[in-house]
Amino acid sequence: MMKYVAFALNAVAFLFILVCLGGANGDVAWSKMTRQINNCDTTINAGLLGVKKWDSCTKGVATTILYDSDSCTSNQIFGSACGNCDSSGKGVLSMTVFAFLLTLVILGLQGTRFVGKSWDKMIMATLCFVNSFLFFLMWTIWVGGCNKKIKDTGDEWDKDVDAAWALSFLGFLLTAGSGVLELLCMPSGGEGVDYTQPYAQQNDNKSDV
């Protein structure tokens, strides 16, 4: 049973990574700024590489501005945050890509258990905890870098972290949980372990070898 739970936790975390990557240009917000201007609800999504701005009065029309562009630094609303968001956003993007690749490896190794392959639980737990640390870096770098600077700009705007940041935080919890399951609930692996059988029967088989 635990092998399915551990696999499911990482599978959900992998889906979260895909959404986080979708927030590179602000399609999914890591931080969000909102304000009503001239009876129009204006929204600015801060992504890892740039922001996307639109308002309710011009539906279907959005403007994307990259942090490292001149049009960002000269922007009166969030121009002072562009440098911080550019550096922290690229750092978070690097961690997200590493987490994407490592999660694929973990899912592949965990998936082989369904056909009877065994892996040492210390190796698997270490991989899961390293992955959890990558998620930890994702949400902490963002909240301490770009989001902190955004909080200091545009006093008239409502602003806070948003969906992509929340998913990176949840991914941190899920991957840490998977690591705990690997460490505490999985057999040690090696000869005599058949992961297609229940955990109790696996232990019986190891004692018979």
Side-chain angles (χ1 to χ4, degrees):
M1 177 62 181
M2 288 299 101
K3 66 182 178 183
Y4 297 108
V5 177
F7 182 86
L9 291 177
N10 283 302
V12 174
F14 182 74
L15 295 178
F16 289 172
I17 292 174
L18 297 180
V19 177
C20 291
L21 287 173
N25 291 323
D27 295 314
V28 181
W30 281 78
S31 293
K32 178 174 287 187
M33 303 173 65
T34 57
R35 183 189 177 191
Q36 189 172 75
I37 302 176
N38 298 326
N39 295 321
C40 298
D41 295 323
T42 302
T43 302
I44 299 176
N45 278 0
L48 299 179
L49 299 178
V51 296
K52 179 169 285 189
K53 178 178 178 291
W54 72 92
D55 61 63
S56 59
C57 296
T58 56
K59 294 182 178 179
V61 178
T63 303
T64 300
I65 302 175
L66 298 179
Y67 294 130
D68 58 1
S69 65
D70 293 335
S71 55
C72 184
T73 53
S74 61
N75 190 281
Q76 295 181 349
I77 301 172
F78 52 85
S80 61
C82 292
N84 292 75
C85 290
D86 185 45
S87 57
S88 59
K90 288 176 179 176
V92 172
L93 182 59
S94 298
M95 297 302 104
T96 307
V97 172
F98 288 143
F100 173 85
L101 297 174
L102 183 54
T103 305
L104 283 178
V105 172
I106 293 172
L107 288 174
L109 294 176
Q110 288 180 329
T112 60
R113 286 177 174 155
F114 302 148
V115 293
K117 181 68 175 178
S118 65
W119 298 99
D120 185 81
K121 68 177 183 179
M122 292 303 298
I123 294 176
M124 295 302 301
T126 299
L127 291 176
C128 290
F129 286 132
V130 169
N131 204 26
S132 182
F133 182 66
L134 291 175
F135 275 96
F136 173 79
L137 292 176
M138 287 161 59
W139 65 266
T140 54
I141 290 174
W142 182 263
V143 79
C146 183
N147 188 73
K148 184 177 184 297
K149 191 63 178 180
I150 287 176
K151 288 278 192 178
D152 296 334
T153 63
D155 294 335
E156 306 84 1
W157 292 73
D158 296 323
K159 56 252 182 179
D160 207 345
V161 291
D162 207 64
W165 180 89
L167 292 180
S168 68
F169 180 78
L170 290 175
F172 160 70
L173 298 179
L174 291 175
T175 50
S178 181
V180 171
L181 288 178
E182 290 285 352
L183 192 61
L184 300 181
C185 301
M186 294 297 175
S188 297
E191 294 297 328
V193 177
D194 183 357
Y195 280 93
T196 62
Q197 299 178 11
Y199 180 41
Q201 190 171 346
Q202 293 169 17
N203 287 336
D204 293 339
N205 290 346
K206 280 187 72 71
S207 63
D208 293 339
V209 175

